[in-house]
Amino acid sequence: MIRSITYMTIGCILLLVASLLYVMMDHPRDVTIMVDGRQTKIETLETSVFGVLQEAGISVRSQDVIEPALSADLPKNDLIVIQPAKEITLIMGYGEARTIRTQARRVDDLLKEQGISQMLETDDVYPSKEGLKNVLLLPVVLNQKMKA
């Protein structure tokens, strides 16, 4: 009788240890990655945002906004949101073109970001200066006239 109680106790202890080990093991998580409004789901064992993006084959640039940050652990809601910077061409002067990446979504924000704050009445901006606050980014043409 004592022998069977001993075996039952050992069996219960082994079952408890096995259960604890199972609970402590890493389990795959379903992570949702939103890139510019498009949703992708990935199952991963990674615990950091950087690791998940690397596993998913998603590369990001320094101008992209990532929430949570690349260095952060995965959030409890398993959601990573990436807003990539837009690549635009800014044409200044007489044909000098620069391709830049920006988070600005309006022309006036882009001009401020690029340090273009003082413009003369003779400067041409396409889309027009009057609509700068409401215009989404398009290729921007800025012809600043040379002072004589």
Side-chain angles (χ1 to χ4, degrees):
M1 177 83 153
I2 293 180
R3 185 177 268 171
S4 60
I5 292 175
T6 303
Y7 288 141
M8 285 178 41
T9 304
I10 291 173
C12 287
I13 290 172
L14 288 175
L15 184 61
L16 179 63
V17 168
S19 298
L20 287 174
L21 287 174
Y22 178 77
V23 168
M24 291 172 55
M25 286 177 33
D26 286 335
H27 299 286
R29 296 170 69 173
D30 289 326
V31 178
T32 302
I33 304 170
M34 298 274 297
V35 179
D36 213 15
R38 292 183 310 272
Q39 182 174 309
T40 304
K41 290 193 182 264
I42 182 173
E43 189 174 282
T44 183
L45 290 174
E46 293 290 339
T47 58
S48 70
V49 172
F50 177 78
V52 171
L53 295 180
Q54 189 173 29
E55 185 177 312
I58 297 173
S59 60
V60 292
R61 296 185 174 146
S62 61
Q63 300 91 348
D64 298 339
V65 174
I66 304 156
E67 186 62 36
L70 272 177
S71 59
D73 289 336
L74 276 177
K76 295 209 183 299
N77 65 358
D78 293 334
L79 176 66
I80 300 171
V81 179
I82 302 171
Q83 184 167 351
K86 303 294 182 205
E87 188 170 283
I88 64 144
T89 301
L90 180 65
I91 302 171
M92 294 185 63
Y94 296 99
E96 175 195 340
R98 268 193 300 168
T99 300
I100 57 173
R101 294 183 56 80
T102 180
Q103 282 292 327
R105 296 298 184 245
R106 298 184 323 213
V107 175
D108 63 333
D109 293 335
L110 172 69
L111 295 177
K112 285 179 195 169
E113 180 183 281
Q114 294 300 309
I116 303 169
S117 58
Q118 299 212 353
M119 295 174 41
L120 303 172
E121 285 299 317
T122 57
D123 292 341
D124 297 323
V125 179
Y126 302 99
S128 70
K129 285 191 268 187
E130 288 74 36
L132 291 181
K133 293 193 184 338
N134 301 318
V135 175
L136 293 175
L137 279 180
L138 302 168
V140 177
V141 178
L142 173 65
N143 289 323
Q144 290 186 318
K145 307 294 192 252
M146 302 289 278
K147 290 184 182 178

